[in-house]
Amino acid sequence: MDKRLLLSEARLTSAFQMFDTNGNGKISFEEVKSLLNQTTNENNDELHQLIKEIDTDGDGEISFKEFKKMMKMLTWYQNKNKIYILNLRGFGVLG
């Protein structure tokens, strides 16, 4: 997958809007939790820590500017029909 295509403004906006379900221009803890289908409180501390790492202005939510910066810091690569994401926390797999 071409990183330039993945990080196009339109794609970033679309991805951001998927998280920003109330349309206020910020991604809250509850919106992240809802999107990840977290119905229990067992991963709350990890989610709060993740948001804190991305939230550079300290308001407790993720703005579009912070979201774009985070996405551009990720390293993506594809291997055998899976897309791997590498960041400071480790690996994640899409697809």
Side-chain angles (χ1 to χ4, degrees):
M1 181 174 285
D2 185 342
K3 188 172 181 176
R4 290 171 297 176
L5 178 62
L6 183 67
L7 295 177
S8 73
E9 192 76 16
R11 285 188 180 259
L12 286 171
T13 300
S14 179
F16 183 81
Q17 289 170 341
M18 187 172 71
F19 282 92
D20 181 21
T21 56
N22 68 3
N24 72 345
K26 301 272 189 163
I27 299 171
S28 69
F29 168 79
E30 290 301 326
E31 287 170 319
V32 172
K33 188 173 176 174
S34 175
L35 188 68
L36 297 176
N37 292 319
Q38 290 284 134
T39 54
T40 68
N41 292 330
E42 80 183 51
N43 293 327
N44 281 358
D45 290 340
E46 291 174 9
L47 288 176
H48 279 294
Q49 182 60 35
L50 177 65
I51 290 171
K52 185 177 178 181
E53 290 175 19
I54 299 166
D55 176 27
T56 57
D57 67 8
D59 69 354
E61 297 180 308
I62 301 168
S63 69
F64 183 61
K65 180 180 176 182
E66 293 164 336
F67 181 80
K68 283 193 328 185
K69 182 177 179 183
M70 176 206 62
M71 293 300 289
K72 289 179 181 178
M73 288 172 46
L74 297 175
T75 302
W76 300 76
Y77 72 94
Q78 188 169 5
N79 182 9
K80 296 184 181 177
N81 299 321
K82 291 189 183 272
I83 299 171
Y84 294 85
I85 305 169
L86 173 64
N87 65 19
L88 296 177
R89 294 177 152 273
F91 286 97
V93 180
L94 299 175

Coordinates of all heavy atoms in Angstrom, one line a residue:
M1 N 0.9 -1.2 0.0 CA 0.0 0.0 0.0 C 0.9 1.2 0.0 O 1.8 1.3 0.8 CB -0.9 0.0 1.2 CG -1.8 1.2 1.3 SD -3.0 1.1 2.7 CE -4.1 -0.1 2.0
D2 N 0.6 2.2 -0.8 CA 1.4 3.4 -1.0 C 1.1 4.3 0.2 O -0.1 4.7 0.4 CB 1.1 4.1 -2.3 CG 1.9 5.3 -2.6 OD1 2.5 5.9 -1.6 OD2 2.0 5.7 -3.7
K3 N 2.1 4.7 1.0 CA 1.9 5.5 2.2 C 1.3 6.9 1.8 O 0.5 7.4 2.6 CB 3.2 5.7 3.0 CG 3.1 6.3 4.3 CD 4.3 6.3 5.1 CE 4.1 6.9 6.4 NZ 5.3 6.8 7.3
R4 N 1.7 7.4 0.7 CA 1.2 8.7 0.3 C -0.3 8.6 0.1 O -1.1 9.5 0.4 CB 1.9 9.2 -1.0 CG 3.3 9.6 -0.8 CD 4.0 9.9 -2.0 NE 4.0 8.6 -2.8 CZ 4.4 8.4 -4.0 NH1 4.9 9.4 -4.7 NH2 4.4 7.2 -4.5
L5 N -0.8 7.5 -0.5 CA -2.2 7.4 -0.8 C -2.9 7.2 0.6 O -4.0 7.8 0.8 CB -2.5 6.2 -1.7 CG -3.9 5.8 -2.0 CD1 -4.6 7.0 -2.7 CD2 -4.0 4.5 -2.8
L6 N -2.4 6.4 1.4 CA -3.0 6.1 2.7 C -3.1 7.4 3.6 O -4.0 7.6 4.3 CB -2.1 5.1 3.5 CG -2.6 4.7 4.8 CD1 -3.9 3.9 4.7 CD2 -1.6 3.8 5.6
L7 N -2.1 8.3 3.4 CA -2.1 9.5 4.2 C -2.6 10.7 3.5 O -2.3 11.8 3.9 CB -0.6 9.8 4.7 CG -0.1 8.7 5.7 CD1 1.4 9.0 6.0 CD2 -0.9 8.6 6.9
S8 N -3.3 10.5 2.4 CA -3.9 11.7 1.7 C -4.9 12.4 2.7 O -5.4 11.8 3.6 CB -4.6 11.2 0.5 OG -5.8 10.6 0.8
E9 N -5.1 13.6 2.5 CA -5.9 14.4 3.3 C -7.3 13.9 3.4 O -8.0 13.8 4.5 CB -6.0 15.9 2.8 CG -6.6 16.9 3.8 CD -5.7 17.2 5.0 OE1 -4.5 17.0 4.9 OE2 -6.2 17.8 5.9
A10 N -7.9 13.4 2.2 CA -9.2 12.9 2.2 C -9.3 11.6 3.0 O -10.3 11.4 3.7 CB -9.6 12.6 0.7
R11 N -8.3 10.7 2.9 CA -8.4 9.5 3.7 C -8.2 9.8 5.2 O -8.9 9.1 6.0 CB -7.3 8.5 3.2 CG -7.7 7.9 1.9 CD -6.7 6.8 1.6 NE -7.0 6.2 0.3 CZ -7.6 5.0 0.2 NH1 -8.0 4.3 1.3 NH2 -7.9 4.5 -1.0
L12 N -7.3 10.7 5.5 CA -7.2 11.0 6.9 C -8.4 11.6 7.5 O -8.8 11.3 8.6 CB -6.0 12.0 7.1 CG -4.6 11.4 7.0 CD1 -3.5 12.5 6.9 CD2 -4.3 10.4 8.1
T13 N -9.1 12.5 6.7 CA -10.3 13.1 7.2 C -11.4 12.0 7.4 O -12.1 12.0 8.4 CB -10.8 14.1 6.2 OG1 -9.8 15.2 6.1 CG2 -12.1 14.7 6.6
S14 N -11.5 11.1 6.4 CA -12.5 10.0 6.5 C -12.2 9.1 7.7 O -13.1 8.8 8.5 CB -12.4 9.2 5.2 OG -13.3 8.1 5.3
A15 N -10.9 8.8 8.0 CA -10.6 8.0 9.1 C -10.9 8.7 10.4 O -11.4 8.1 11.4 CB -9.1 7.6 9.1
F16 N -10.6 10.0 10.5 CA -10.8 10.8 11.7 C -12.3 10.8 11.9 O -12.8 10.7 13.1 CB -10.3 12.2 11.5 CG -10.4 13.1 12.7 CD1 -9.6 13.0 13.7 CD2 -11.5 14.0 12.8 CE1 -9.7 13.8 14.9 CE2 -11.7 14.8 13.9 CZ -10.8 14.7 14.9
Q17 N -13.1 11.0 10.9 CA -14.6 11.1 11.1 C -15.2 9.8 11.6 O -16.2 9.8 12.2 CB -15.2 11.6 9.8 CG -14.9 13.0 9.5 CD -15.4 13.5 8.1 OE1 -15.6 12.6 7.2 NE2 -15.5 14.8 7.9
M18 N -14.5 8.7 11.2 CA -15.0 7.4 11.7 C -14.9 7.4 13.2 O -15.8 6.8 13.9 CB -14.2 6.3 11.1 CG -14.7 4.9 11.4 SD -13.8 3.7 10.4 CE -12.2 3.7 11.3
F19 N -13.9 8.0 13.8 CA -13.7 8.0 15.3 C -14.5 9.1 15.9 O -15.1 8.9 16.9 CB -12.2 8.3 15.6 CG -11.3 7.1 15.5 CD1 -10.7 6.8 14.3 CD2 -11.2 6.2 16.6 CE1 -9.8 5.7 14.2 CE2 -10.4 5.1 16.5 CZ -9.7 4.8 15.3
D20 N -14.6 10.3 15.2 CA -15.3 11.4 15.8 C -16.8 11.3 15.5 O -17.4 12.0 14.7 CB -14.7 12.7 15.1 CG -15.4 14.0 15.6 OD1 -16.0 14.0 16.7 OD2 -15.3 15.0 14.9
T21 N -17.4 10.4 16.2 CA -18.8 10.1 15.9 C -19.8 11.2 16.2 O -20.9 11.3 15.6 CB -19.3 8.8 16.7 OG1 -19.0 9.0 18.1 CG2 -18.5 7.6 16.2
N22 N -19.5 12.1 17.1 CA -20.4 13.2 17.4 C -20.1 14.5 16.6 O -20.8 15.4 16.6 CB -20.4 13.6 18.9 CG -19.1 14.2 19.4 OD1 -18.2 14.4 18.6 ND2 -19.0 14.4 20.7
G23 N -19.1 14.4 15.7 CA -18.8 15.5 14.8 C -18.3 16.8 15.4 O -18.3 17.8 14.7
N24 N -17.7 16.7 16.6 CA -17.3 18.0 17.2 C -15.8 18.3 16.9 O -15.3 19.3 17.4 CB -17.5 17.9 18.8 CG -16.5 17.0 19.5 OD1 -15.8 16.2 18.8 ND2 -16.4 17.1 20.8
G25 N -15.2 17.5 16.1 CA -13.8 17.8 15.7 C -12.7 17.3 16.6 O -11.6 17.6 16.5
K26 N -13.1 16.5 17.6 CA -12.2 15.9 18.6 C -12.6 14.5 18.7 O -13.8 14.1 18.6 CB -12.3 16.6 19.9 CG -12.0 18.1 19.9 CD -10.5 18.3 20.1 CE -10.2 19.8 20.3 NZ -8.9 20.0 20.9
I27 N -11.6 13.6 19.0 CA -11.9 12.2 19.4 C -11.7 12.1 20.9 O -10.6 12.3 21.4 CB -10.9 11.3 18.6 CG1 -11.0 11.5 17.1 CG2 -11.2 9.8 19.0 CD1 -10.0 10.7 16.3
S28 N -12.8 11.7 21.5 CA -12.8 11.5 23.0 C -12.5 10.1 23.4 O -12.5 9.2 22.5 CB -14.2 11.9 23.5 OG -15.1 10.9 23.2
F29 N -12.2 9.9 24.6 CA -12.0 8.5 25.2 C -13.2 7.6 24.9 O -13.0 6.5 24.4 CB -11.7 8.6 26.7 CG -11.8 7.3 27.4 CD1 -10.7 6.4 27.3 CD2 -12.9 6.9 28.0 CE1 -10.8 5.2 27.9 CE2 -13.0 5.7 28.7 CZ -11.9 4.8 28.6
E30 N -14.4 8.1 25.1 CA -15.6 7.3 24.9 C -15.7 7.0 23.4 O -16.2 5.9 23.1 CB -16.8 8.1 25.4 CG -16.9 8.2 26.9 CD -16.9 6.8 27.6 OE1 -17.5 5.8 27.1 OE2 -16.3 6.7 28.7
E31 N -15.4 7.8 22.5 CA -15.5 7.5 21.1 C -14.5 6.4 20.7 O -14.8 5.5 19.9 CB -15.3 8.8 20.2 CG -16.5 9.7 20.3 CD -16.2 11.1 19.7 OE1 -15.1 11.7 19.9 OE2 -17.1 11.6 19.0
V32 N -13.3 6.5 21.2 CA -12.3 5.4 20.9 C -12.8 4.1 21.5 O -12.8 3.1 20.8 CB -10.9 5.8 21.5 CG1 -9.9 4.6 21.4 CG2 -10.3 7.0 20.8
K33 N -13.3 4.2 22.7 CA -13.7 3.0 23.4 C -14.9 2.4 22.6 O -15.0 1.1 22.4 CB -14.2 3.3 24.8 CG -14.5 2.1 25.6 CD -14.8 2.5 27.1 CE -15.2 1.3 27.9 NZ -15.3 1.6 29.3
S34 N -15.8 3.2 22.1 CA -17.0 2.7 21.4 C -16.6 2.1 20.0 O -17.1 1.0 19.7 CB -18.0 3.9 21.1 OG -19.0 3.5 20.3
L35 N -15.7 2.8 19.3 CA -15.2 2.2 18.0 C -14.5 0.9 18.2 O -14.7 0.0 17.3 CB -14.3 3.2 17.3 CG -14.0 2.9 15.9 CD1 -15.2 2.9 15.0 CD2 -12.9 3.7 15.3
L36 N -13.8 0.7 19.3 CA -13.1 -0.5 19.5 C -14.0 -1.6 20.2 O -13.5 -2.7 20.5 CB -11.9 -0.3 20.4 CG -10.8 0.6 19.8 CD1 -9.7 0.9 20.8 CD2 -10.2 0.0 18.5
N37 N -15.3 -1.3 20.3 CA -16.3 -2.2 20.9 C -15.9 -2.6 22.3 O -16.1 -3.7 22.7 CB -16.5 -3.4 20.0 CG -17.2 -3.1 18.7 OD1 -18.1 -2.3 18.7 ND2 -16.7 -3.6 17.6
Q38 N -15.3 -1.7 23.0 CA -14.9 -1.9 24.4 C -16.1 -1.7 25.3 O -16.5 -0.6 25.5 CB -13.8 -1.0 24.9 CG -12.5 -1.2 24.2 CD -11.8 -2.4 24.8 OE1 -11.3 -3.2 24.1 NE2 -11.8 -2.5 26.1
T39 N -16.7 -2.8 25.8 CA -17.9 -2.7 26.6 C -17.5 -2.9 28.1 O -18.3 -2.6 29.0 CB -18.9 -3.8 26.3 OG1 -18.3 -5.1 26.3 CG2 -19.5 -3.5 24.9
T40 N -16.3 -3.3 28.4 CA -15.8 -3.5 29.7 C -14.8 -2.4 30.1 O -14.4 -1.6 29.2 CB -15.1 -4.8 30.0 OG1 -13.9 -4.8 29.3 CG2 -16.0 -6.0 29.5
N41 N -14.5 -2.3 31.3 CA -13.5 -1.3 31.8 C -12.1 -1.8 31.9 O -11.2 -1.1 32.3 CB -13.9 -0.7 33.1 CG -15.2 0.1 33.0 OD1 -15.5 0.7 31.9 ND2 -16.0 0.2 34.0
E42 N -11.9 -3.0 31.4 CA -10.6 -3.7 31.7 C -9.4 -3.0 31.0 O -8.3 -3.1 31.4 CB -10.6 -5.2 31.5 CG -10.5 -5.6 30.0 CD -10.7 -7.1 29.9 OE1 -11.7 -7.7 30.5 OE2 -9.9 -7.8 29.3
N43 N -9.6 -2.4 29.8 CA -8.5 -1.7 29.1 C -8.5 -0.2 29.2 O -7.8 0.5 28.4 CB -8.5 -2.1 27.6 CG -8.2 -3.6 27.5 OD1 -7.4 -4.2 28.2 ND2 -8.8 -4.2 26.5
N44 N -9.3 0.3 30.1 CA -9.4 1.8 30.2 C -8.1 2.5 30.4 O -7.8 3.5 29.8 CB -10.4 2.2 31.3 CG -11.9 2.0 30.9 OD1 -12.2 1.7 29.8 ND2 -12.7 2.3 31.8
D45 N -7.3 2.0 31.3 CA -6.0 2.6 31.6 C -5.1 2.7 30.3 O -4.5 3.7 30.0 CB -5.2 1.9 32.7 CG -5.9 2.0 34.0 OD1 -6.7 3.0 34.2 OD2 -5.6 1.2 34.9
E46 N -5.1 1.6 29.5 CA -4.3 1.6 28.3 C -4.9 2.6 27.3 O -4.1 3.3 26.6 CB -4.3 0.2 27.7 CG -3.5 -0.8 28.5 CD -3.6 -2.2 28.0 OE1 -4.2 -2.4 26.9 OE2 -3.1 -3.1 28.7
L47 N -6.2 2.7 27.2 CA -6.8 3.6 26.2 C -6.5 5.1 26.7 O -6.2 5.9 25.8 CB -8.3 3.4 26.1 CG -8.7 2.2 25.4 CD1 -10.2 2.0 25.4 CD2 -8.2 2.2 23.9
H48 N -6.6 5.3 28.0 CA -6.3 6.7 28.5 C -4.8 7.0 28.2 O -4.5 8.2 27.8 CB -6.6 6.8 30.0 CG -8.0 7.0 30.3 ND1 -8.7 8.2 29.9 CD2 -8.9 6.3 30.9 CE1 -9.9 8.1 30.3 NE2 -10.1 7.0 30.9
Q49 N -3.9 6.1 28.4 CA -2.5 6.3 28.1 C -2.3 6.6 26.6 O -1.5 7.5 26.3 CB -1.7 5.1 28.6 CG -0.2 5.3 28.4 CD 0.4 6.5 29.2 OE1 -0.1 6.8 30.3 NE2 1.3 7.2 28.6
L50 N -2.9 5.8 25.8 CA -2.8 6.0 24.3 C -3.2 7.4 23.9 O -2.5 8.1 23.2 CB -3.6 5.0 23.6 CG -3.6 5.1 22.1 CD1 -2.2 4.8 21.5 CD2 -4.6 4.1 21.5
I51 N -4.4 7.8 24.4 CA -4.9 9.2 24.1 C -3.9 10.2 24.7 O -3.6 11.2 24.0 CB -6.3 9.4 24.7 CG1 -7.3 8.5 23.8 CG2 -6.7 10.9 24.6 CD1 -8.7 8.4 24.4
K52 N -3.4 10.0 25.8 CA -2.5 11.0 26.5 C -1.2 11.1 25.6 O -0.7 12.3 25.4 CB -2.1 10.5 27.9 CG -1.2 11.5 28.6 CD -1.0 11.0 30.0 CE -0.1 11.9 30.8 NZ 0.2 11.5 32.1
E53 N -0.7 10.1 25.0 CA 0.5 10.1 24.2 C 0.2 10.9 22.9 O 1.1 11.5 22.4 CB 1.0 8.7 23.8 CG 1.5 8.0 25.0 CD 1.9 6.5 24.7 OE1 2.0 6.2 23.5 OE2 2.0 5.8 25.7
I54 N -1.0 10.8 22.4 CA -1.3 11.5 21.1 C -1.7 12.9 21.3 O -1.5 13.8 20.5 CB -2.4 10.7 20.4 CG1 -2.0 9.3 20.1 CG2 -2.9 11.4 19.1 CD1 -3.1 8.4 19.7
D55 N -2.3 13.2 22.5 CA -2.9 14.5 22.8 C -1.8 15.5 23.2 O -1.5 15.7 24.4 CB -3.9 14.3 24.0 CG -4.5 15.6 24.5 OD1 -4.6 16.5 23.7 OD2 -4.9 15.6 25.7
T56 N -1.2 16.2 22.3 CA -0.1 17.1 22.5 C -0.5 18.4 23.2 O 0.3 19.0 23.8 CB 0.7 17.4 21.3 OG1 -0.2 17.9 20.3 CG2 1.3 16.1 20.7
D57 N -1.8 18.8 23.0 CA -2.2 20.1 23.7 C -2.8 19.8 25.1 O -3.1 20.8 25.8 CB -3.2 20.8 22.8 CG -4.5 20.2 22.6 OD1 -4.8 19.2 23.2 OD2 -5.3 20.7 21.7
G58 N -2.9 18.6 25.5 CA -3.3 18.3 26.9 C -4.8 18.5 27.2 O -5.2 18.6 28.4
D59 N -5.7 18.6 26.2 CA -7.1 18.8 26.5 C -7.9 17.5 26.7 O -9.1 17.5 27.0 CB -7.8 19.6 25.4 CG -7.9 18.9 24.1 OD1 -7.4 17.8 23.9 OD2 -8.5 19.5 23.1
G60 N -7.2 16.4 26.7 CA -7.9 15.1 26.9 C -8.6 14.5 25.7 O -9.2 13.4 25.9
E61 N -8.5 15.1 24.6 CA -9.1 14.6 23.4 C -8.1 14.7 22.2 O -7.1 15.4 22.3 CB -10.3 15.4 23.0 CG -11.4 15.2 24.1 CD -12.7 16.0 23.7 OE1 -12.6 17.2 23.4 OE2 -13.7 15.4 23.8
I62 N -8.4 14.0 21.1 CA -7.5 14.0 20.0 C -8.1 14.9 18.9 O -9.2 14.6 18.4 CB -7.2 12.6 19.4 CG1 -6.6 11.7 20.5 CG2 -6.3 12.6 18.2 CD1 -6.7 10.3 20.2
S63 N -7.3 16.0 18.5 CA -7.8 16.9 17.4 C -7.4 16.2 16.1 O -6.6 15.3 16.0 CB -7.2 18.2 17.6 OG -5.8 18.1 17.3
F64 N -7.9 16.8 15.0 CA -7.5 16.3 13.7 C -6.0 16.5 13.5 O -5.3 15.7 12.9 CB -8.3 17.0 12.6 CG -8.1 16.5 11.2 CD1 -8.3 15.2 10.9 CD2 -7.5 17.4 10.3 CE1 -8.0 14.7 9.6 CE2 -7.3 16.9 9.0 CZ -7.5 15.6 8.7
K65 N -5.5 17.7 13.9 CA -4.1 17.9 13.8 C -3.2 16.9 14.5 O -2.2 16.4 14.0 CB -3.7 19.3 14.3 CG -2.3 19.7 14.2 CD -2.1 21.1 14.8 CE -0.6 21.5 14.8 NZ -0.4 22.8 15.4
E66 N -3.6 16.5 15.7 CA -2.9 15.5 16.5 C -3.1 14.1 15.8 O -2.1 13.3 15.8 CB -3.5 15.4 17.9 CG -3.1 16.7 18.7 CD -3.9 16.8 20.0 OE1 -5.1 16.3 20.0 OE2 -3.5 17.6 20.9
F67 N -4.2 13.8 15.3 CA -4.5 12.6 14.6 C -3.6 12.4 13.3 O -3.0 11.4 13.1 CB -6.0 12.5 14.2 CG -6.4 11.3 13.5 CD1 -6.7 10.1 14.2 CD2 -6.6 11.2 12.1 CE1 -7.1 8.9 13.5 CE2 -6.9 10.1 11.4 CZ -7.2 8.9 12.1
K68 N -3.5 13.5 12.6 CA -2.7 13.5 11.4 C -1.2 13.3 11.7 O -0.5 12.5 11.1 CB -2.8 14.8 10.6 CG -4.0 14.9 9.8 CD -4.0 16.1 8.8 CE -3.2 17.3 9.1 NZ -3.4 18.4 8.1
K69 N -0.7 13.9 12.8 CA 0.6 13.8 13.2 C 0.9 12.3 13.6 O 1.9 11.7 13.3 CB 0.9 14.7 14.4 CG 2.4 14.7 14.9 CD 2.6 15.7 16.0 CE 4.1 15.6 16.4 NZ 4.3 16.5 17.5
M70 N 0.0 11.7 14.4 CA 0.1 10.4 14.8 C 0.2 9.4 13.6 O 1.0 8.5 13.5 CB -1.1 10.0 15.7 CG -1.0 8.5 16.1 SD -2.6 7.8 16.5 CE -3.5 7.9 15.0
M71 N -0.7 9.6 12.6 CA -0.8 8.7 11.5 C 0.5 8.8 10.7 O 1.0 7.9 10.1 CB -2.0 9.1 10.6 CG -3.3 8.7 11.3 SD -3.5 7.0 11.7 CE -3.6 6.3 10.0
K72 N 1.1 10.0 10.6 CA 2.3 10.2 9.8 C 3.5 9.6 10.5 O 4.5 9.3 9.9 CB 2.5 11.7 9.5 CG 1.5 12.2 8.5 CD 1.7 13.6 8.1 CE 0.6 14.0 7.1 NZ 0.6 15.4 6.8
M73 N 3.4 9.4 11.8 CA 4.5 8.8 12.6 C 4.6 7.3 12.5 O 5.6 6.7 12.8 CB 4.4 9.3 14.1 CG 4.8 10.7 14.3 SD 4.5 11.3 16.0 CE 5.2 10.0 17.0
L74 N 3.4 6.7 12.1 CA 3.4 5.3 12.0 C 4.2 4.8 10.7 O 4.2 5.5 9.7 CB 1.9 4.8 11.8 CG 1.0 5.1 13.0 CD1 -0.4 4.7 12.6 CD2 1.4 4.4 14.2
T75 N 4.7 3.7 10.8 CA 5.4 3.1 9.7 C 4.6 1.9 9.3 O 4.2 1.0 10.1 CB 6.8 2.6 10.1 OG1 7.6 3.7 10.6 CG2 7.5 1.9 8.9
W76 N 4.2 1.9 8.0 CA 3.4 0.8 7.4 C 4.2 0.0 6.5 O 5.0 0.4 5.7 CB 2.2 1.4 6.6 CG 1.4 2.3 7.4 CD1 1.6 3.6 7.8 CD2 0.0 2.1 7.9 NE1 0.6 4.2 8.5 CE2 -0.4 3.2 8.5 CE3 -0.8 1.0 7.8 CZ2 -1.7 3.3 9.1 CZ3 -2.1 1.1 8.3 CH2 -2.5 2.2 9.0
Y77 N 3.9 -1.3 6.5 CA 4.5 -2.2 5.4 C 3.5 -3.4 5.3 O 2.8 -3.7 6.1 CB 5.9 -2.6 5.7 CG 6.1 -3.6 6.8 CD1 6.2 -5.0 6.5 CD2 6.2 -3.2 8.1 CE1 6.4 -5.9 7.5 CE2 6.4 -4.1 9.1 CZ 6.5 -5.5 8.8 OH 6.7 -6.4 9.8
Q78 N 3.6 -3.9 4.0 CA 2.7 -5.0 3.7 C 3.5 -6.2 3.4 O 4.5 -6.2 2.8 CB 1.9 -4.6 2.4 CG 0.8 -5.6 2.1 CD -0.2 -5.1 1.0 OE1 0.0 -4.0 0.5 NE2 -1.2 -5.8 0.8
N79 N 3.0 -7.4 3.9 CA 3.6 -8.6 3.7 C 2.5 -9.7 3.7 O 1.8 -9.9 4.7 CB 4.6 -8.9 4.8 CG 5.4 -10.2 4.7 OD1 5.3 -10.8 3.6 ND2 6.2 -10.5 5.7
K80 N 2.5 -10.5 2.6 CA 1.5 -11.6 2.5 C 0.1 -11.2 2.8 O -0.5 -11.8 3.7 CB 2.0 -12.8 3.3 CG 3.3 -13.3 2.9 CD 3.7 -14.6 3.7 CE 5.0 -15.1 3.2 NZ 5.5 -16.2 3.9
N81 N -0.4 -10.2 2.2 CA -1.8 -9.7 2.3 C -2.2 -9.2 3.7 O -3.3 -9.1 4.0 CB -2.8 -10.9 1.9 CG -2.6 -11.3 0.5 OD1 -2.3 -10.4 -0.4 ND2 -2.6 -12.6 0.2
K82 N -1.2 -8.9 4.5 CA -1.5 -8.2 5.8 C -0.7 -6.9 5.8 O 0.3 -6.8 5.3 CB -1.0 -9.1 7.0 CG -1.9 -10.3 7.1 CD -1.5 -11.0 8.4 CE -2.3 -12.3 8.6 NZ -3.6 -12.2 9.2
I83 N -1.3 -5.9 6.4 CA -0.7 -4.6 6.6 C -0.2 -4.5 8.0 O -1.1 -4.7 9.0 CB -1.6 -3.5 6.2 CG1 -2.1 -3.6 4.8 CG2 -1.0 -2.1 6.5 CD1 -3.2 -2.7 4.4
Y84 N 1.0 -4.3 8.2 CA 1.6 -4.2 9.6 C 1.8 -2.7 9.9 O 2.2 -1.9 9.1 CB 2.9 -4.9 9.7 CG 2.8 -6.4 9.5 CD1 2.7 -7.0 8.3 CD2 2.6 -7.2 10.7 CE1 2.6 -8.4 8.1 CE2 2.5 -8.6 10.5 CZ 2.4 -9.1 9.3 OH 2.3 -10.5 9.2
I85 N 1.5 -2.3 11.1 CA 1.8 -1.0 11.6 C 2.8 -1.1 12.7 O 2.7 -1.8 13.6 CB 0.5 -0.4 12.2 CG1 -0.7 -0.5 11.2 CG2 0.7 1.0 12.7 CD1 -2.0 -0.2 11.8
L86 N 3.8 -0.2 12.6 CA 4.9 -0.2 13.6 C 4.9 1.2 14.2 O 5.0 2.2 13.5 CB 6.2 -0.5 13.0 CG 7.5 -0.4 13.9 CD1 7.4 -1.4 15.0 CD2 8.7 -0.6 13.1
N87 N 4.8 1.3 15.5 CA 5.0 2.5 16.2 C 5.8 2.3 17.5 O 6.3 1.2 17.6 CB 3.6 3.2 16.4 CG 2.7 2.4 17.4 OD1 3.2 1.6 18.1 ND2 1.5 2.7 17.4
L88 N 5.8 3.2 18.3 CA 6.6 3.0 19.5 C 6.1 2.0 20.5 O 6.8 1.4 21.3 CB 6.8 4.4 20.3 CG 7.5 5.4 19.5 CD1 7.5 6.7 20.3 CD2 8.9 5.0 19.2
R89 N 4.8 1.6 20.3 CA 4.2 0.6 21.2 C 4.4 -0.8 20.7 O 4.2 -1.8 21.3 CB 2.7 0.8 21.3 CG 2.3 2.1 21.9 CD 0.8 2.3 21.9 NE 0.4 3.0 23.0 CZ 0.1 2.6 24.2 NH1 0.2 1.3 24.5 NH2 -0.3 3.4 25.2
G90 N 4.8 -0.9 19.4 CA 5.1 -2.3 18.8 C 4.3 -2.4 17.5 O 4.1 -1.5 16.8
F91 N 4.0 -3.7 17.2 CA 3.3 -4.0 16.0 C 1.8 -4.1 16.1 O 1.3 -4.6 17.2 CB 3.8 -5.3 15.4 CG 5.2 -5.2 14.9 CD1 6.3 -5.6 15.7 CD2 5.4 -4.8 13.6 CE1 7.6 -5.6 15.1 CE2 6.7 -4.7 13.1 CZ 7.8 -5.1 13.9
G92 N 1.1 -3.8 15.1 CA -0.3 -4.0 15.0 C -0.5 -4.6 13.6 O 0.3 -4.4 12.7
V93 N -1.6 -5.3 13.4 CA -1.9 -5.9 12.1 C -3.3 -5.5 11.6 O -4.2 -5.6 12.4 CB -1.8 -7.5 12.1 CG1 -2.1 -8.1 10.8 CG2 -0.4 -7.9 12.7
L94 N -3.4 -5.1 10.3 CA -4.6 -4.9 9.7 C -4.8 -5.9 8.6 O -3.9 -6.1 7.9 CB -4.7 -3.5 9.1 CG -4.5 -2.3 10.0 CD1 -4.5 -1.0 9.2 CD2 -5.7 -2.2 11.0
G95 N -6.0 -6.4 8.5 CA -6.3 -7.3 7.3 C -5.8 -8.6 7.4 O -4.9 -9.1 8.1

